[in-house]
Amino acid sequence: MRILNAIALCGMLLFSFLQAHAQEGPPVPTPMGTLQAAHPRLFVHDSDLPAIKARIAADPMEKAEFDRIHARAVSLLTEPPERFQLGGPRPTLLPIAREMEGRIITLSGVYRLTGDKRFADRAIAEMLSAADFPDWHPRTPLNTAELTAAMGIGYDWLYPVLTSGQRNVIRQAIVAKGIHTFFARIDRNQMHYRNNWAQVIYGGHTVAALAIAEPDDQASMERAEKVIGYSRPGIELVMKLFAPDGGFEEGPVYWDYATIYNVLYITALDSALGTDFGASKMAGFDVTPEYEIQATGPSFEYANFSDSHAEAGLSSQMYWFATRFHRPAYAAYERALMQSQKANGKLNTSFFQHARFEMIGLFWAAMTPEWKSFQPLPEVESFARIQQAYMRTSWSDPDAAYIGFKGGEAGVSHGHLDLGSFVFDDLGQRWASDLGPETYGVPDYFGKLRWTYYRTQTRAHNTIAVDNSNEDTDGLCKIIFAGSVGKNKFIVADLDQAHKTKLQSWKRGIAILGNRRVLVQDEISPSKPVELVWHLHTFANVEIAADKRSATLRIGDKTMRAKIITPADAHFSIAPPPVLKPKETPNTGVTDLVIDQPQTSTSQTIAVLFSRKGDNKIVHLKKLADWSKK
């Protein structure tokens, strides 16, 4: 679950994407007259290579990254090419396709930088193996899209050293096993994706179509024009979801997956045709990396709401975003994440789930300006369309306090019934955790059984469960206020529509107070007698005090204290472990610290204060409506 293989087992076949019901229209007319005739034409031209090589030689971090990628390429020289094999709980080719994608990009990129033909020959062997597959498993179009893109990149980057016979075999495979399946889905009206699938499928096929188009081959030019003509409106439709401020409702893991293919699509068009037809100028796209960065805590763990794992992964496209939109903070973040992973021994991986685009990332990093300074992102930021908010006490302190807050719509792609939930970091540790996704291979995870699994349910999140039931599947949570007042930082949210038949109103506020205490305050008015259970899931060791009004959380030598401020009759307890279905993931090491308020019908405030060891200052509560006032 810590690798993007979780994405691959994307058995999201019925749930994780939404389709419109209108018939697919004709492709948008797309001029191909500006196609660069020479290869390589995708992403990085040969004329760019001298400056890239000089930058790698001069920059110690980029030199170290090249050395690591080069070592991986050397190790691949003695490995046999991948063979056709379906695997996983729902048979898929995607793990194989991604491994091959990483191999082809890495080997061909190292060849371009070194001129060592061993790497080109090994990449060609991988491509010929893929060409020999019976198909690229078009039943799940992500399989086909990723392998089609990989083959297109390899074909273009290695074009000068491919024999005419090899070109013909690879080109025919791209057309028959990739692009023709893309057209077949369009003919069957199956290409109306409204989530990350759109960027991957449209982007992957656009990359390949541009790779194999030739100005003196009318059929290939018409084919590329048709692929791009269908992809332009498809990509632009899903890119509208980045507006107005770059928020991404599917979470940080799927942000990385969607945007890398979105950027590959744009840069393929730019480098091959000299235009992206305005895609990069769509509202919110220039600032969408801010969402990914804000959704990552000081210790480089994601605020992993919904189907996201906690460990942050590298996003090669950050360097492209930094250069294209003149935002050095994006590149600085990616470099800091890489340094953190290197320090923690997490950079080297034998599987390309995280690392398959690092070769392209190295090219982009070496083409990024060397900024001497940059303006950090805001310490408090909210995202309007997805209704999520994030706040921290510092961008430079790894021990900073950090809150990620989950609002928005309950029923979004990859969503959980977790409105009002939060993660909380301090002292370099995560004290309030999200358990992340259930294994994608459990029965009907993206269908009618989704809400029967513990990890998708309300009680599995750091929010309030009402009558031990889930939030409404069409529930809403809106951010009322996110900002700073004096030395304090606040998020206040309206959860009135989370349990529509049971609660008359519910407001939740989370504050980081000036001396880094964290206050979680709920104001609730039930519509009828209900049981309210306040949940906090933590991997810390938990010791509840004798009066049950406070609890001590310990992780290693770090300590955090939780104290109930109100109600006066509330007590902490530890919930018994949930009864799980046979294939559900055990929640090893997790403690569910709860406050149980049974059968209450009166309005009440539940307030819990988190503070570091030795901080005994008294907190005077204010109404949430007054939090934004000085």
Side-chain angles (χ1 to χ4, degrees):
M1 288 178 53
R2 290 183 175 271
I3 60 176
L4 287 185
N5 197 26
I7 299 175
L9 297 175
C10 252
M12 352 193 274
L13 296 176
L14 294 176
F15 180 85
S16 72
F17 60 89
L18 301 175
Q19 296 188 17
H21 298 290
Q23 287 293 316
E24 188 75 56
V28 175
T30 300
M32 293 288 295
T34 57
L35 178 69
Q36 176 178 300
H39 295 270
R41 63 169 70 113
L42 294 180
F43 316 132
V44 179
H45 298 151
D46 279 350
S47 60
D48 298 319
L49 293 180
I52 289 173
K53 292 177 183 178
R55 176 70 176 272
I56 290 172
D59 187 312
M61 188 168 182
E62 288 170 26
K63 177 63 165 60
E65 177 70 352
F66 168 76
D67 289 344
R68 187 174 63 82
I69 294 173
H70 182 269
R72 172 60 179 159
V74 170
S75 73
L76 288 171
L77 294 176
T78 56
E79 292 188 22
E82 289 286 351
R83 298 299 180 188
F84 184 87
Q85 180 180 350
L86 300 181
R90 290 174 173 161
T92 177
L93 187 65
L94 202 45
I96 298 296
R98 287 183 171 170
E99 180 70 24
M100 298 184 91
E101 187 174 33
R103 290 180 174 193
I104 292 166
I105 293 172
T106 297
L107 288 161
S108 57
V110 170
Y111 164 72
R112 294 189 68 188
L113 288 175
T114 65
D116 189 335
K117 196 169 179 295
R118 293 179 304 159
F119 299 114
D121 291 341
R122 178 62 186 83
I124 292 167
E126 199 75 33
M127 296 166 71
L128 293 176
S129 179
D132 194 45
F133 285 7
D135 59 47
W136 293 344
H137 203 239
R139 178 183 174 186
T140 306
L142 296 180
N143 299 333
T144 309
E146 295 209 28
L147 197 46
T148 302
M151 292 285 276
I153 294 169
Y155 179 91
D156 177 64
W157 283 9
L158 299 177
Y159 188 91
V161 295
L162 288 167
T163 67
S164 60
Q166 290 168 340
R167 289 175 194 160
N168 188 53
V169 169
I170 295 167
R171 184 173 58 247
Q172 287 184 356
I174 290 172
V175 174
K177 296 170 184 178
I179 292 174
H180 279 178
T181 68
F182 173 80
F183 290 151
R185 297 190 76 82
I186 290 172
D187 292 341
R188 294 194 300 268
N189 193 34
Q190 294 177 336
M191 285 298 297
H192 296 282
Y193 303 116
R194 301 293 179 267
N195 69 346
N196 64 82
W197 284 42
Q199 284 102 326
V200 178
I201 296 169
Y202 290 122
H205 289 93
T206 294
V207 166
L210 287 168
I212 62 173
E214 301 298 343
D216 59 357
D217 180 352
Q218 184 177 354
S220 70
M221 295 290 280
E222 291 176 352
R223 182 171 52 240
E225 181 177 352
K226 185 177 178 182
V227 170
I228 300 168
Y230 280 121
S231 297
R232 284 174 57 192
I235 285 265
E236 289 170 7
L237 185 60
V238 77
M239 286 183 71
K240 291 180 179 178
L241 300 181
F242 289 117
D245 49 26
F248 192 77
E249 64 192 9
E250 293 183 87
V253 168
Y254 286 96
W255 179 93
D256 177 62
Y257 188 44
T259 58
I260 184 60
Y261 276 95
N262 210 143
V263 170
L264 291 177
Y265 165 83
I266 289 171
T267 53
L269 290 171
D270 262 342
S271 58
L273 296 180
T275 178
D276 65 9
F277 303 103
S280 61
K281 295 181 180 179
M282 293 196 67
F285 194 62
D286 60 330
V287 293
T288 191
E290 291 193 20
Y291 162 77
E292 177 81 349
I293 297 171
Q294 292 285 9
T296 307
S299 299
F300 295 103
E301 282 192 295
Y302 286 140
N304 58 314
F305 306 122
S306 307
D307 283 340
S308 288
H309 55 68
E311 183 179 307
L314 296 172
S315 300
S316 298
Q317 61 272 35
M318 282 289 188
Y319 296 112
W320 178 87
F321 276 109
T323 302
R324 182 59 168 260
F325 301 113
H326 309 288
R327 296 179 183 269
Y330 302 164
Y333 163 82
E334 189 68 6
R335 289 174 71 98
L337 173 56
M338 185 175 292
Q339 288 175 325
S340 173
Q341 290 196 346
K342 183 178 181 180
N344 292 305
K346 296 178 180 179
L347 266 181
N348 293 311
T349 173
S350 62
F351 218 63
F352 276 103
Q353 301 308 325
H354 279 308
R356 63 193 190 277
F357 298 110
E358 285 184 351
M359 186 73 250
I360 298 176
L362 178 62
F363 282 140
W364 284 334
M367 298 167 76
T368 301
E370 298 183 71
W371 289 288
K372 294 183 179 179
S373 63
F374 63 92
Q375 184 69 29
L377 300 186
E379 291 183 353
V380 184
E381 188 168 7
S382 60
F383 296 90
R385 192 183 66 79
I386 64 172
Q387 294 293 304
Q388 294 179 22
Y390 301 89
M391 57 186 176
R392 69 188 73 211
T393 55
S394 172
W395 282 103
S396 59
D397 181 4
D399 288 343
Y402 169 79
I403 295 290
F405 182 86
K406 176 66 162 58
E409 302 177 26
V412 299
S413 175
H414 287 287
H416 293 187
L417 301 180
D418 59 353
L419 301 181
S421 189
F422 67 98
V423 297
F424 164 39
D425 297 355
D426 197 6
L427 297 169
Q429 304 294 333
R430 177 149 293 181
W431 303 100
S433 294
D434 193 293
L435 304 182
E438 185 49 78
T439 302
Y440 284 11
V442 296
D444 214 14
Y445 183 61
F446 293 99
K448 63 183 179 181
L449 296 181
R450 183 172 181 83
W451 311 126
T452 69
Y453 294 109
Y454 177 70
R455 289 191 174 205
T456 65
Q457 296 178 356
T458 301
R459 64 189 176 122
H461 296 88
N462 304 321
T463 186
I464 291 179
V466 181
D467 287 340
N468 198 34
S469 63
N470 283 327
E471 295 169 343
D472 298 338
T473 55
D474 61 348
L476 298 171
C477 172
K478 297 181 180 180
I479 304 295
I480 299 172
F481 172 78
S484 300
V485 178
K487 295 182 179 180
N488 301 327
K489 297 175 172 64
F490 303 107
I491 299 169
V492 181
D494 181 343
L495 286 134
D496 291 357
Q497 299 299 306
H499 296 273
K500 290 187 284 290
T501 63
K502 296 180 179 182
L503 299 182
Q504 181 178 342
S505 68
W506 175 21
K507 306 295 186 293
R508 164 164 274 198
I510 301 181
I512 301 178
L513 304 179
N515 54 0
R516 296 172 63 151
R517 293 175 295 171
V518 170
L519 176 65
V520 181
Q521 183 170 317
D522 294 279
E523 296 172 357
I524 300 180
S525 296
S527 302
K528 56 185 177 181
V530 293
E531 179 185 20
L532 302 175
V533 181
W534 183 99
H535 289 273
L536 182 109
H537 296 80
T538 182
F539 286 90
N541 294 317
V542 178
E543 180 182 347
I544 298 176
D547 65 359
K548 299 183 179 181
R549 296 280 295 171
S550 66
T552 301
L553 284 61
R554 291 188 176 87
I555 301 176
D557 61 350
K558 305 294 176 63
T559 301
M560 185 65 58
R561 181 175 181 242
K563 180 180 180 181
I564 301 172
I565 306 301
T566 186
D569 60 349
H571 300 93
F572 280 128
S573 62
I574 294 175
V579 177
L580 301 178
K581 296 179 181 180
K583 293 186 177 181
E584 284 189 88
T585 304
N587 301 301
T588 306
V590 176
T591 296
D592 184 8
L593 182 66
V594 300
I595 301 170
D596 191 347
Q597 295 290 90
Q599 293 303 301
T600 180
S601 58
T602 58
S603 298
Q604 61 179 289
T605 297
I606 301 173
V608 176
L609 180 69
F610 295 89
S611 57
R612 296 181 175 192
K613 184 177 181 179
D615 183 351
N616 298 311
K617 292 184 179 180
I618 297 174
V619 170
H620 300 284
L621 298 184
K622 297 195 301 183
K623 290 286 186 180
L624 293 177
D626 296 329
W627 274 24
S628 61
K629 301 175 182 178
K630 291 185 178 181

